[in-house]
Amino acid sequence: MKSAVFFVAFVAAVAADKIPDFLVPGKCPAVNEKALFEQQIPNHSKYAGVWYEIALTNNPYQLLKQCVRNEYSFDGSKFIAKSTGINADGNLMRHNGQVLPMPLGDPHLSIDYEGSFTAPYVILDTDYENFSCIYSCVEFNYGYYADFAFIFSRSPKLSDQYLRRCEAAFKEIGVDVSRFTKTVQGSNCPYDTQKSL
């Protein structure tokens, strides 16, 4: 249903010659999702826990702008996700969702947060203990696609060696790493309060 609503909005925008800036002409890059997913399935339980958002590409669906902290609880088949942080108005906010296998059997996870549409969640690279590089790409009719990318860390700061690994993973599939903006993290973030949201 959410995908249908998004598609209707997209068609309306195209009809009005006003294409959202996150839609670009072309197709999603080729990613060997099957090989990645086969390596990751046995390790899904190790992916659970807290992940801090270190950087992301332009994403109108990301309502949290600073101090973004994601908690993933794995139940054996899917992750229950609780994301907290500070929104554009400067208020603390909680956003609930889930990360689960694609329902039609595509070889990757999908992400489904309230108020958004279900989208692919492809882990390009992770060591499960320090960093994760996440990519999501959806193709639409009329030759357009939307892609979003994230760099996560197990702590509010990510060392350069892991940042470079994510940059390499994104460059390998043709994502321009200059598109990333850093997410504010650090000592001014109310992480203790966020845990209780």
Side-chain angles (χ1 to χ4, degrees), residues 2-3 98 100 102-103 110-113 116-120 136 138:
K2 292 177 187 170
S3 294
Q98 58 184 349
L100 65 164
M102 286 294 285
S110 63
I111 188 160
D112 183 16
Y113 269 84
S116 188
F117 66 98
T118 302
S136 182
V138 179

Side-chain angles (χ1 to χ4, degrees), residues 18-168:
K18 186 175 180 181
I19 297 171
D21 64 352
F22 61 89
L23 289 173
V24 293
K27 293 183 170 232
C28 292
V31 176
N32 190 348
E33 295 174 1
K34 187 174 189 296
L36 289 170
F37 199 53
E38 286 174 356
Q39 292 171 357
Q40 294 163 3
I41 288 172
N43 296 306
H44 277 166
S45 62
K46 294 195 308 192
Y47 197 74
V50 174
W51 290 102
Y52 294 85
E53 181 185 281
I54 300 300
L56 77 164
T57 58
N58 179 31
N59 187 335
Y61 300 101
Q62 172 55 297
L63 304 177
L64 304 172
K65 304 300 181 189
Q66 298 177 39
C67 308
V68 181
R69 184 179 184 276
N70 303 290
E71 287 183 40
Y72 291 161
S73 302
F74 188 61
D75 69 5
S77 64
K78 68 179 181 297
F79 298 90
I80 303 302
K82 175 181 109 170
S83 297
T84 58
I86 299 172
N87 66 17
D89 296 326
N91 299 315
L92 272 176
M93 180 180 176
R94 176 178 172 160
H95 204 195
N96 298 314
Q98 58 184 349
V99 177
L100 65 164
M102 286 294 285
L104 299 178
D106 293 335
H108 55 76
L109 296 168
S110 63
I111 188 160
D112 183 16
Y113 269 84
E114 53 194 21
S116 188
F117 66 98
T118 302
Y121 186 100
V122 177
I123 303 167
L124 294 177
D125 193 8
T126 186
D127 67 355
Y128 301 96
E129 296 175 3
N130 297 288
F131 74 98
S132 182
C133 324
I134 301 116
Y135 186 65
S136 182
C137 191
V138 179
E139 290 182 1
F140 297 95
N141 292 336
Y142 308 104
Y144 284 86
Y145 73 98
D147 71 338
F148 308 105
F150 300 85
I151 298 173
F152 285 178
S153 173
R154 289 293 192 182
S155 67
K157 188 171 179 172
L158 185 62
S159 74
D160 285 344
Q161 74 182 58
Y162 300 123
L163 188 59
R164 283 192 299 273
R165 274 195 51 186
C166 279
E167 288 176 348

